[in-house]
Structure formats: C-alpha cells, structure tokens
Amino acid sequence: MKQIEVQIMQQSYLLGCPEGHESRLLQAVERVDTAMTRIRDAGKVRARERIAVLAALNLAFEIADREEADLASAAQAQAAAPTEPAPLVPAAGPQSADGLASSHASHASLAGDPSGQMQLLLRRLDDALGDDGRLL
C-alpha cells in the first residue's frame, strides 16, 4: 500500500492508497476539499469537525441522488426496450408431416435474429398466399 500526503482545507493528511488507485484518491480528496471549502467560505460554520460532517452529508446526498437517477434511467430504458416478439410459427398448410417438421427446424434456426424473423414472415406470407397470390 502506498502512502500519499494530501491537503484538505490547508491541513495535511497522510493516506494509505492501494497501488494503481492514486488518481481516484486524489479526485476524492479534491471533491472533499472543495465541499469543505465551500461550507467554510459560506461563513456560517467554523469548526473543522462540523464542516467535515456537513461536507460528508452533502456528498452522500449527491451520491444518493445520482444512484436514484441511475435507477430511474435504467428502469426507463428497460421499459422502452422492445419486448421479444413471439416466435413465428408456420401455418399448417398442404405440407406433409416431414415437410412440416423440417419447416419448424428451419424456422427455429432463423428466429434468433431480426433478418431471420423477416425471412420467416415472408415465408409465412408466401405460404398463406399460395400459388394464386391471393390471401383469401
């Protein structure tokens, strides 16, 4: 573990930091220093301990707000995501039992991707239209 000396509100602190996480620690120190300095500069609180508690509460509140917004965004994205369409099943037509079984197998292999689903739909339309090209 690496030791890093930092300054928060003009006071030095020696902090332990895992290797490779120095930049994250320095970013956190900067956020805490900024939050504490803002409270001190507002002029209402002078005791360093009270400033630290208020800064910690403000930062925790910001994190909670961000987490809530992230959860709302995730829920919105999930609600907006297209639902999986029902698998296309070929209409029973003038096919033999063997033809129907092979048709089901080919449909199952095509149903996984959107272009395959389009091919299935086109095949079903062709089967429904029949030789004369009429639906009814």
Side-chain angles (χ1 to χ4, degrees), residues 11 22 51 61 67 74 96-97 115 124 132:
Q11 185 169 345
E22 295 86 356
I51 291 172
F61 191 82
E67 287 173 348
S96 67
S115 64
R124 287 185 62 198
D132 64 356

Side-chain angles (χ1 to χ4, degrees), residues 7-81:
Q7 294 256 332
I8 299 175
M9 250 179 48
Q10 292 88 34
Q11 185 169 345
S12 292
Y13 296 90
L14 188 61
L15 304 175
C17 178
E19 295 289 331
H21 294 278
E22 295 86 356
S23 64
R24 287 185 65 200
L25 176 63
L26 293 174
Q27 288 173 348
V29 166
E30 178 63 32
R31 290 184 72 193
V32 169
D33 182 57
T34 300
M36 289 180 67
T37 301
R38 217 178 279 144
I39 293 168
R40 182 199 65 203
D41 291 347
K44 296 182 180 181
V45 182
R46 287 283 174 217
R48 183 179 297 275
E49 185 177 292
R50 290 181 59 88
I51 291 172
V53 168
L54 290 172
L57 287 170
N58 287 339
L59 291 170
F61 191 82
E62 287 176 19
I63 290 169
D65 276 352
R66 207 171 296 138
E67 287 173 348
E68 189 175 315
D70 289 348
L71 287 174
S73 294
Q76 222 172 24
Q78 189 175 15

